[in-house]
Amino acid sequence: MINLSLKELSEGLKQKKFSSVELTQFFLNRLDLHNSSINAFITIDKDKSLAMAKHSDEIIKEGNQDYLTGIPIAQKDIFCAEGWKTSCGSKMLDNFIAPYDSTVISKFNAVGAVNLGKTNMDEFAMGSSNETSFYGNVKNPWDIKTVPGGSSGGSAAAVAGRLVPAATATDTGGSIRQPASLCGLTGLKPTYGLVSRYGMIAFASSLDQAGPMCHTAEDCAAMMNVMSGHDPKDSTSIQRAKENYLTGISDPIKGLKIGVPKEFFSEGLDPEVEKIIERGINEYKKLGAEIVEISLPNNHLSIPVYYVIAPAEASSNLSRYDGVRYGYRTKEYDDLMEMYCKTREEGFGEEVKRRIMIGTYVLSAGYYDAYYLKAQKIRRLISEDFKKAFENCDVILGPSAPSVAFPIGEKKEDPLKMYMQDVYTISTNLAGLPGLSMPAGLMNELPVGIQLIGNYFSEAKLLNIANIFQMNTDWHNLSPEEFK
Ligand code: GLN
């Protein structure tokens, strides 16, 4: 059961090999057995999940089954789900029960998917190792002494440990692709605006985007068929015809032009990781692709630019947590100002406070031009680099992360080292482009991911290119020993 794809689970439900209640109970039992060792979930509510499964069985009985009907999916704790605690990994929202569904959640509900629980994450999605969560760090099922990546580390660990068939995640600077890479999964960050952000707790609004975390490209395509689409409730959601990401997923890729950016293979990349990426490139050559060298000359500026823009937006977004309307409020205070200050001092963790301080600084009247405005200009240059690159290739290939999963605690005290984890992923968010990470091998028994970056709205193509790789390789089928 734990190795079945979403398609096979869907078939099994259709042929009545098992019911949704049985399937959900099966995965709830897996959670009982394994979640305590990896801490992948913040909220598990068996009664709620089983009630949803019962409802899904009714839908199937009536003959209205959709691809994901009756299948348990874990939801990152950044998505508001009515009646479920939605904490975003923060003490600030530890007592917050969402009064409404985010669009992503309502789309899963509409097709009768089962919510198996809310997954652990870095506080307000700030982090690359899942060590900033108020609920404790998540452990990587491949080696529980190492991090799963972040910020969607709970979703990644849950899928990698086969505690759930698939999960949702979000990516502001790499939070789908980097944990997918470190946990041996396929994760897709879609084009900005393709998936609605309504009800998804905001970190940096011009960068945040939700996507799937799965074993395979085919599973990601099935998830995208549910998650994507225009939403009038999100003003940045894009109005365009809905695609079926499964159509064409096995089309031949002969003649495909793959661009390899030379800047992605310089200092900082682990030489063993580099070898694995090169083996992946050779695999594509064998499959009929043409490889061309390209350049993304401003990529080295993406981390500094991101750490101006993302904190600026975060400082504004997080100003709403003031102890007045919802969330945490300090116990003792004499006046309103003291209530604000103590609430935010006690409710936010260290990394979140660091970002709020950087953000307010770069937006302040005296420094706005020097930092924020400058960063926005360089952001444009980074987008232009991609535009030029796509004149010479159909897709860009490189590493997803500079290394494999690192030991818990190793980078926690050094934010700059931690920030380097996203050196290959952040530019994609700054440009609003789609990016995918998929397993390409093991180094010291830990997974290594290949990243594919496409032009705007090329998700179907990216999933196709990844699927062809997966039809010819076996890396996506590997599982961590203790979770088999
Ligand atoms: N690691 C990056 C950060 O800490 C990206 C996080 C994300 O994509 N949510 O901000």
Side-chain angles (χ1 to χ4, degrees):
M1 197 86 103
I2 57 170
N3 294 324
L4 297 183
S5 66
L6 295 179
K7 189 178 178 180
E8 288 162 338
L9 290 171
S10 195
E11 282 296 314
L13 286 161
K14 193 171 179 183
Q15 292 161 8
K16 312 244 172 327
K17 286 191 185 149
F18 41 81
S19 67
S20 173
V21 168
E22 284 164 347
L23 188 61
T24 303
Q25 190 60 58
F26 173 85
F27 280 104
L28 288 172
N29 294 346
R30 287 274 301 166
L31 289 186
D32 278 342
L33 204 62
H34 290 295
N35 186 47
S36 60
S37 67
I38 54 173
N39 195 28
F41 283 78
I42 292 174
T43 303
I44 298 168
D45 188 326
K46 293 184 180 174
D47 293 342
K48 271 206 185 72
S49 300
L50 287 168
M52 289 177 91
K54 226 170 145 190
H55 174 66
S56 308
D57 280 330
E58 292 296 319
I59 301 176
I60 296 169
K61 214 157 106 198
E62 286 159 14
N64 294 324
Q65 186 186 357
D66 218 307
Y67 202 102
L68 295 185
T69 311
I71 299 179
I73 306 288
Q75 303 287 354
K76 185 173 179 179
D77 207 25
I78 199 167
F79 294 102
C80 287
E82 192 182 342
W84 291 75
K85 168 168 145 177
T86 301
S87 75
C88 216
S90 183
K91 179 178 176 184
M92 196 55 106
L93 290 173
D94 183 46
N95 64 1
F96 179 64
I97 308 291
Y100 68 103
D101 282 328
S102 55
T103 296
V104 164
I105 294 283
S106 35
K107 281 173 179 284
F108 279 107
N109 289 347
V111 297
V114 173
N115 184 348
L116 197 73
K118 308 288 298 288
T119 57
N120 204 345
M121 55 181 285
D122 277 306
E123 186 177 9
F124 286 105
M126 299 174 191
S128 300
S129 63
N130 233 290
E131 291 169 291
T132 73
S133 170
F134 174 61
Y135 302 91
N137 54 286
V138 178
K139 294 164 192 162
N140 190 325
W142 287 88
D143 175 357
I144 58 167
K145 291 190 291 307
T146 66
V147 304
S151 66
S152 312
S155 290
V159 179
R162 301 195 185 254
L163 308 190
V164 69
T168 57
T170 63
D171 191 311
T172 303
S175 282
I176 293 178
R177 291 159 287 161
Q178 186 256 9
S181 177
L182 271 47
C183 288
L185 300 173
T186 308
L188 173 71
K189 174 234 154 328
T191 306
Y192 182 78
L194 193 62
V195 175
S196 169
R197 291 184 297 111
Y198 177 75
M200 186 177 113
I201 296 173
F203 162 14
S205 307
S206 77
L207 301 159
D208 297 343
Q209 187 59 200
M213 184 79 84
C214 305
H215 290 288
T216 62
E218 190 187 44
D219 285 357
C220 284
M223 293 276 281
M224 280 301 288
N225 279 350
V226 174
M227 296 173 78
S228 65
H230 176 248
D231 178 11
K233 292 188 192 135
D234 170 2
S235 62
T236 59
S237 159
I238 287 169
Q239 220 156 352
R240 67 195 296 279
K242 204 165 152 79
E243 278 181 75
N244 183 340
Y245 297 97
L246 286 159
T247 321
I249 195 155
S250 303
D251 285 357
I253 57 160
K254 204 166 174 344
L256 179 81
K257 256 183 153 176
I258 299 181
V260 178
K262 55 173 189 271
E263 292 81 2
F264 279 18
F265 295 85
S266 52
E267 205 195 325
L269 179 63
D270 189 307
E272 294 300 314
V273 170
E274 183 168 346
K275 274 190 208 149
I276 291 174
I277 306 301
E278 262 152 24
R279 189 176 63 201
I281 294 174
N282 283 329
E283 185 66 40
Y284 273 117
K285 273 192 204 154
K286 274 195 260 159
L287 293 166
E290 184 193 335
I291 311 295
V292 291
E293 190 186 272
I294 57 154
S295 175
L296 298 171
N298 292 297
N299 189 69
H300 66 289
L301 297 173
S302 60
I303 289 189
V305 164
Y306 173 89
Y307 280 100
V308 171
I309 293 175
E313 294 183 15
S315 71
S316 166
N317 276 326
L318 270 57
S319 65
R320 74 190 67 176
Y321 305 106
D322 57 6
V324 176
R325 301 170 202 86
Y326 54 87
Y328 178 77
R329 181 188 294 176
T330 187
K331 299 285 163 296
E332 283 168 43
Y333 49 90
D334 290 327
D335 56 29
L336 184 64
M337 193 51 80
E338 195 190 355
M339 192 280 280
Y340 286 156
C341 293
K342 280 183 72 186
T343 294
R344 290 168 69 82
E345 156 69 30
E346 293 161 16
F348 289 135
E350 196 184 328
E351 183 62 25
V352 173
K353 283 185 223 167
R354 179 169 17 245
R355 308 260 180 131
I356 293 173
M357 283 191 285
I358 297 172
T360 30
Y361 181 81
V362 299
L363 288 177
S364 61
Y367 295 99
Y368 182 90
D369 288 359
Y371 293 104
Y372 187 72
L373 209 60
K374 185 95 184 170
Q376 291 290 18
K377 287 180 183 166
I378 303 172
R379 181 178 190 175
R380 169 53 77 72
L381 294 179
I382 289 169
S383 300
E384 294 291 327
D385 284 354
F386 279 112
K387 205 170 155 197
K388 275 196 209 111
F390 284 123
E391 284 168 10
N392 297 315
C393 64
D394 306 309
V395 65
I396 295 171
L397 185 153
S400 303
S403 67
V404 289
F406 47 90
I408 292 168
E410 188 188 86
K411 300 188 201 297
K412 201 170 175 226
E413 303 311 323
D414 189 342
L416 293 183
K417 263 196 195 148
M418 189 71 90
Y419 297 170
M420 286 310 286
Q421 275 297 308
D422 297 311
V423 64
Y424 308 122
T425 49
I426 280 182
S427 53
T428 317
N429 299 73
L430 290 168
L433 293 165
L436 175 150
S437 180
M438 64 172 175
L442 294 180
M443 168 188 153
N444 303 333
E445 286 166 54
L446 291 171
V448 172
I450 276 189
Q451 184 181 199
L452 299 170
I453 301 170
N455 216 333
Y456 299 103
F457 305 110
S458 65
E459 286 76 8
K461 190 78 214 156
L462 284 181
L463 291 163
N464 166 221
I465 299 167
N467 182 51
I468 295 296
F469 186 83
Q470 295 180 335
M471 285 165 68
N472 290 280
T473 57
D474 223 14
W475 304 112
H476 57 287
N477 289 326
L478 301 180
S479 269
E481 206 49 53
E482 266 113 86
F483 294 82
K484 275 182 180 161

